[in-house]
Amino acid sequence: MNVDFPDADALAGANEYTVDDLPEFAVAHRERDPESVEDVAAAARDAVDAIAEFDDLDAGATVAVTAGSRGIHDMPAALAAAVERLQERGFEPFVIPAMGSHGGATAEGQRETLAALGTTPETLGCEIRSSMAVEAVGEDDLGRPVYAARDALEADAVLLANRVKPHTDFRGDVESGLAKMAVIGLGKHRGAESLHNAAIATDFADVIADRYEVLRRETPIVGGIAVVENADHRAAHVEGIDAADVLDREPELLDLAREHLAELPVDDLDLLVVDAMGKDKSGTGMDTNVLGRYDFHGEAEPDSPSITRVYARSLTDPSHGNAVGFGLADFVHRDLVADVDFHDTYVNIVTSGEPRRAKLPFVVPDDATALVLACSTTGVADPADLRVARIPSTMDPDSLVVSEPVAADLRQRDDVTVGPLAPLEFSDGALDPDPY
């Protein structure tokens, strides 16, 4: 992006503070003992066997298994085990990317997205069929078309696979899960765009449930493998669900997921520094449940956490330049902006229907400038009182570097350890790349 952004000296001239005014900082870690699935592969195999309609399939039947674009740690292993179990039962499984418009809304881009997440024909043991071709299979309650991938329609059965978790945009009985994987993932670009447009006119959860029922009737979906993660992003629960039971079971799994949700151990911050954002970290680049801000189609903002400013430092490589959600930040590093592929970002944003998340934030030349500007843009009278936390990403809010006022609060918690305080050190304006 060929834009001459102001340098650190120019911004310093418009600001009365320096890094010497910042409080001291300490490394902090929240300690957890989350429950987890001991053998994810075995659980995935059992999940396949729990789906009743597989008992009625003939040997040699083709089964399309969905694979999404999220960085779900145990999903590659679960998918590979599910494929193996389907093969053992005499079926011919193949995997299809189910990620709406992600990957630049191209077949090759979606294949590359899966590869970046460790999902390849070699790791799966089966073919990946990537195509953006869809067909309208019915209409929702608003009279709008419901789309399904042609690859899925040509299979004898479709097995959904996804994580069940609170969504980053809305609240409802069904949020992120198997129903959404069917409606948005299998709908490819056209289905995702149609869903989001319909949801603007009514309610997201209702539209997903309505369209899922259309797809269940009109496509060969037999069920799904639902994964619930713990706060360490490992599988806490893996379950096979028949297609007819998805809308009844998902709200219960969603409650379980909320119990395990990774959140910041602090509710009130002047500045949150996020080292890395990207599609492998969250569908919105940064998890809105951690940021405490949705900025999406008039959704009510959460009461907690309360974070005045957010600074995003970099964009992950697996994002392939898709910086959707960087509009949620107040400051971004100049290097992050240089890595943005605006084509992929804008395709994703147009599909979601919320352009504010693609607005370019305040661009800073380095980390020191971002922290100093926080002194002037948060309403804090004394920089020594700044409440700041730095995290690797919104996927890992339990590892932090925190300013002295936050450290004092966290020392009162039994589940958080806090190290000694020390001044921040910068190298040419850059923070320590790995302080945790």
Side-chain angles (χ1 to χ4, degrees), residues 14-280:
N15 185 76
E16 63 178 301
Y17 302 108
T18 70
V19 292
D20 294 333
D21 296 308
L22 296 172
E24 292 189 322
F25 284 72
V27 176
H29 291 280
R30 180 194 288 185
E31 308 296 334
R32 298 180 188 263
D33 185 22
E35 60 181 281
S36 60
V37 174
E38 185 173 340
D39 189 336
V40 172
R45 293 165 65 89
D46 290 343
V48 169
D49 290 339
I51 296 171
E53 287 192 50
F54 282 134
D55 296 337
D56 300 326
L57 284 184
D58 295 329
T62 57
V63 181
V65 184
T66 67
S69 59
R70 303 293 188 259
I72 304 172
H73 182 273
D74 289 319
M75 189 57 74
L79 289 172
V83 165
E84 182 179 53
R85 181 58 185 144
L86 290 167
Q87 291 169 336
E88 290 172 352
R89 293 187 60 170
F91 306 134
E92 297 181 8
F94 62 93
V95 165
I96 58 175
M99 57 184 75
S101 66
H102 299 171
T106 68
E108 185 57 33
Q110 297 203 340
R111 187 185 293 273
E112 291 174 356
T113 298
L114 290 185
L117 298 173
T119 303
T120 66
E122 292 74 25
T123 62
L124 292 167
C126 73
E127 176 188 5
I128 294 177
R129 298 181 188 175
S130 185
S131 168
M132 301 304 293
V134 296
E135 294 181 14
V137 297
E139 293 183 348
D140 62 14
D141 287 344
L142 298 174
R144 304 190 186 198
V146 177
Y147 296 97
R150 190 171 298 160
D151 284 333
L153 294 172
E154 292 173 352
D156 296 308
V158 175
L159 176 64
L160 306 170
N162 199 19
R163 171 179 58 192
V164 176
K165 68 178 289 289
H167 200 274
T168 54
D169 296 338
F170 65 90
R171 291 291 172 262
D173 290 337
V174 290
E175 297 182 21
S176 286
L178 298 178
K180 176 174 171 284
M181 174 61 77
V183 174
I184 294 182
L186 283 181
K188 300 289 185 172
H189 185 196
R190 291 188 70 182
E193 185 175 31
S194 177
L195 176 281
H196 283 94
N197 285 337
I200 292 171
T202 179
D203 179 84
F204 264 84
D206 290 346
V207 174
I208 289 176
D210 173 25
R211 289 179 171 229
Y212 173 76
E213 283 295 283
V214 174
L215 291 168
R216 185 174 71 84
R217 293 192 304 267
E218 303 298 334
T219 73
I221 294 174
V222 296
I225 298 175
V227 176
V228 175
E229 288 186 316
N230 60 30
D232 290 336
H233 305 288
R234 299 297 187 269
H237 181 80
V238 179
E239 179 178 333
I241 306 173
D242 289 325
D245 297 331
V246 165
L247 295 182
D248 291 329
R249 181 59 177 148
E250 275 206 12
E252 298 168 345
L253 293 179
L254 188 57
D255 287 340
L256 176 63
R258 288 195 178 98
E259 295 175 10
H260 290 286
L261 190 65
E263 297 176 309
L264 289 165
V266 55
D267 293 331
D268 180 22
L269 291 173
D270 298 309
L271 175 67
L272 175 66
V273 179
V274 181
D275 283 352
M277 62 164 288
K279 295 297 291 187
D280 56 325

Side-chain angles (χ1 to χ4, degrees), residues 352-373:
S352 73
E354 184 46 84
R356 286 180 297 182
R357 288 184 173 180
K359 285 189 174 181
L360 184 64
F362 192 117
V363 180
V364 297
D366 54 39
D367 300 325
T369 301
L371 284 159
V372 170
L373 288 177

